[in-house]
Amino acid sequence: MKYLIHNILFFLILQFYFSPRSAQAQEGDFIYFNKSYWADTMNMFAPIIKPYEDGYIAVGTYSTYMGHLYVRRLDEWGNTMWLNVLDIEESGEDFNGVVTGNQVTIASDGSIILVRSKEYDWEGEGMNIYLSKISSEGQFVWEKSFGSPYIDVGLYVEETSDNGFIISGAQQEEGMPGGMYVIKTDSEGELLWENVYDDSWGVAHCVREVWWDDGYVISGWISTEGDDYYDMHIVKLDEEGEMEWEHTISNYDVDSYALVVPTTYEEFLEGKPLEYLVLGALYNAETGNYDQTLFRLDWEGELVWQKTFYDEEDMIGSNTYPLVANGKLYTVMHYESPGLQHGNKLICVNVEEGKLEWVKNLPVDEEGNVYLRDINFTPDGGMIIGGFQSWPPPQKGIAIKVDMQGNTCWPADCDSLVMGTSVQELKTEEFALIKVLNSPLQAGEDLVVALDLGEAEWRAGMYLEVVDQYGRTTAKKALVNGRSSYHFSSRNLGGGMFIVVLKEGDRVIANSKVLRF
């Protein structure tokens, strides 16, 4: 147990967040702020800051043990509107702290969903995963527990398309290596399935739903020998949690864990292939540095390319789950100064070229130990970064609002209104369902598409387009007024996966689910 906990805590120093949201266009004046939150009677940690309505929700832990929970509501300026310390009996002093942004997500009904771990043995020999639902007013709604009689650690949660939840972390039986652990629940937190992957030492730091086949992809690290050598590891699951493929990235040394970002639906419609972007760090034995590296895997898990974008000696790895928008990746990197203070830098990487665009120092106490563990897009076209300062005391929560160029209010007064730079809006539309009558296709069979425009009117210039998994258009047919079904010859479609899209000009009106043959 001590081995697993030690290694999880070591890699949490590198930790991350998210369920990425699209960046929206800035309108008018842009609000920057750099806020610290603390209390006279307790140590406060606030690593998790989520955009919420016209402000933010902060979730953190308090007390020196980091056991109890609080929820803080912030306005658009980062000022506290209210603070609710959850009941100690419900929060539980023997809970591990909330230490990464990935442990909290805002559900579609506006509630706060939180995953954490709790020791149930006074000797610290047992630990279970707890999934909690908290209302928007900061009150417990329900709490569910999962796991084995031994050690279970929850590190990531996100809401899935069926309004349930998917959790990832690690499970270790007594005297046995730990494995990558995934739990799927319904919307009420009731268990649907659970599974442990790989019988080596391993941790699943994140799990993402894959929209094109209703499956999931998990990523993290494994150590096959149970020693000090760690490999990045990615596993693809089907919708029932069964493994489809796995991919290990290694240079046979102490590597960082992998953080995986699947191609989004919007990116696919813009012509990007179905693939996985992986962020990680490879230890360079010659320089003694961690080479920050991007990897691209195709939809079957095969490596397309890997490119190192940052190899300076102070950088260890990503502290936050990366955000991706407009061909750029944003994350907070963790570094150690010569005096062993822990610092943070915001970076931007061009994901098509695997090249570093810029690095920005964040306005935190450079003499203290500061851990920034959460980053999210904000509705006004910026980013909100959350974390905490652990030294010098008192421990305090931190929230920093920046624009898309990484600019902060420093050295300007953070309580002033500062003009920002606009960013391009990412548009997300609602898509109706096109029904494909014969999926999966059989060899030599035509693809038959049934189309119901509903209340929409037929217009000249509308057409159906078949797009394969690489984003290529393989077939196209103009719509005929009054016709409800269309046939596409399978000879023109190729094999693999594809999607049927209804368009008018360049505008997408509707699409089918992803299909296979």
Side-chain angles (χ1 to χ4, degrees), residues 13-15 256 281 290 292 315-319 332-335:
I13 293 176
L14 314 176
Q15 253 309 341
S256 170
Y290 282 94
Q292 309 305 316
M315 201 66 71
I316 298 176
S318 181
N319 245 14
V332 177
M333 286 282 179
H334 176 82
Y335 71 92

Side-chain angles (χ1 to χ4, degrees), residues 69 86-92 95 116 118 139-140 143:
L69 286 173
L86 275 68
D87 184 88
I88 290 178
E89 292 184 1
E90 292 176 310
S91 180
F95 273 101
R116 54 190 174 146
K118 179 182 179 181
Q139 302 293 334
F140 272 109
E143 190 165 68

Side-chain angles (χ1 to χ4, degrees), residues 141-160:
V141 178
W142 49 252
E143 190 165 68
K144 312 288 184 177
S145 65
F146 311 95
S148 68
Y150 303 107
I151 305 163
D152 308 289
V153 179
L155 298 175
Y156 186 103
V157 63
E158 77 170 25
E159 187 177 22
T160 51

Side-chain angles (χ1 to χ4, degrees), residues 328-398:
K328 303 292 192 298
L329 177 146
Y330 305 88
T331 193
V332 177
M333 286 282 179
H334 176 82
Y335 71 92
E336 288 187 356
S337 65
L340 294 182
Q341 280 82 15
H342 299 278
N344 306 265
K345 293 182 179 181
L346 178 62
I347 69 163
C348 175
V349 181
N350 184 309
V351 298
E352 295 302 320
E353 301 177 2
K355 292 183 178 179
L356 185 68
E357 295 261 323
W358 47 256
V359 179
K360 299 289 179 71
N361 288 317
L362 292 165
V364 295
D365 184 359
E366 295 184 357
E367 300 300 320
N369 288 338
V370 177
Y371 301 89
L372 300 178
R373 296 286 178 79
D374 195 14
I375 183 170
N376 294 278
F377 289 131
T378 57
D380 61 351
M383 293 177 282
I384 183 72
I385 299 168
F388 63 92
Q389 178 176 303
S390 65
W391 184 266
Q395 286 92 357
K396 61 187 71 173
I398 295 172

Side-chain angles (χ1 to χ4, degrees), residues 93-94 119-126:
E93 61 181 12
D94 50 354
E119 295 178 3
Y120 59 80
D121 186 312
W122 285 107
E123 308 244 338
E125 295 299 326

Side-chain angles (χ1 to χ4, degrees), residues 269-497:
L269 291 180
E270 292 170 359
K272 186 175 180 180
L274 300 178
E275 61 183 10
Y276 302 93
L277 184 68
V278 180
L279 174 64
L282 295 171
Y283 182 75
N284 188 323
E286 294 184 3
T287 65
N289 302 338
Y290 282 94
D291 294 340
Q292 309 305 316
T293 307
L294 276 183
F295 308 85
R296 294 177 73 174
L297 308 182
D298 67 18
W299 64 285
E300 294 179 310
E302 297 299 321
L303 182 67
V304 177
W305 56 248
Q306 70 179 67
K307 297 185 180 181
T308 296
F309 60 86
Y310 197 98
D311 59 2
E312 293 188 15
E313 62 181 357
D314 59 349
M315 201 66 71
I316 298 176
S318 181
N319 245 14
T320 60
Y321 187 85
L323 305 179
V324 178
N326 297 325
K328 303 292 192 298
L329 177 146
Y330 305 88
T331 193
V332 177
M333 286 282 179
H334 176 82
Y335 71 92
E336 288 187 356
S337 65
L340 294 182
Q341 280 82 15
H342 299 278
N344 306 265
K345 293 182 179 181
L346 178 62
I347 69 163
C348 175
V349 181
N350 184 309
V351 298
E352 295 302 320
E353 301 177 2
K355 292 183 178 179
L356 185 68
E357 295 261 323
W358 47 256
V359 179
K360 299 289 179 71
N361 288 317
L362 292 165
V364 295
D365 184 359
E366 295 184 357
E367 300 300 320
N369 288 338
V370 177
Y371 301 89
L372 300 178
R373 296 286 178 79
D374 195 14
I375 183 170
N376 294 278
F377 289 131
T378 57
D380 61 351
M383 293 177 282
I384 183 72
I385 299 168
F388 63 92
Q389 178 176 303
S390 65
W391 184 266
Q395 286 92 357
K396 61 187 71 173
I398 295 172
I400 304 172
K401 176 80 179 304
V402 304
D403 64 25
M404 293 300 289
Q405 288 72 44
N407 301 315
T408 69
C409 52
W410 184 263
D413 181 358
C414 287
D415 288 328
S416 64
L417 191 65
V418 182
M419 290 296 292
T421 305
S422 294
V423 295
Q424 181 180 0
E425 181 179 3
L426 284 178
K427 296 182 178 179
T428 303
E429 303 182 31
E430 295 295 329
F431 298 100
L433 181 65
I434 298 172
K435 187 174 183 181
V436 176
L437 300 182
N438 55 338
S439 174
L441 284 179
Q442 304 300 318
E445 183 181 19
D446 285 353
L447 170 69
V448 182
V449 178
L451 180 63
D452 182 5
L453 294 180
E455 297 180 357
E457 295 181 358
W458 174 88
R459 292 182 296 275
M462 286 184 175
Y463 60 95
L464 288 170
E465 187 176 73
V466 181
V467 183
D468 69 12
Q469 67 263 28
Y470 302 107
R472 301 175 301 197
T473 299
T474 60
K476 184 186 294 186
K477 280 185 183 277
L479 262 62
V480 177
N481 190 13
R483 183 186 296 179
S484 60
S485 64
Y486 295 82
H487 289 242
F488 294 87
S489 172
S490 59
R491 294 192 302 271
N492 301 324
L493 300 180
M497 297 191 293

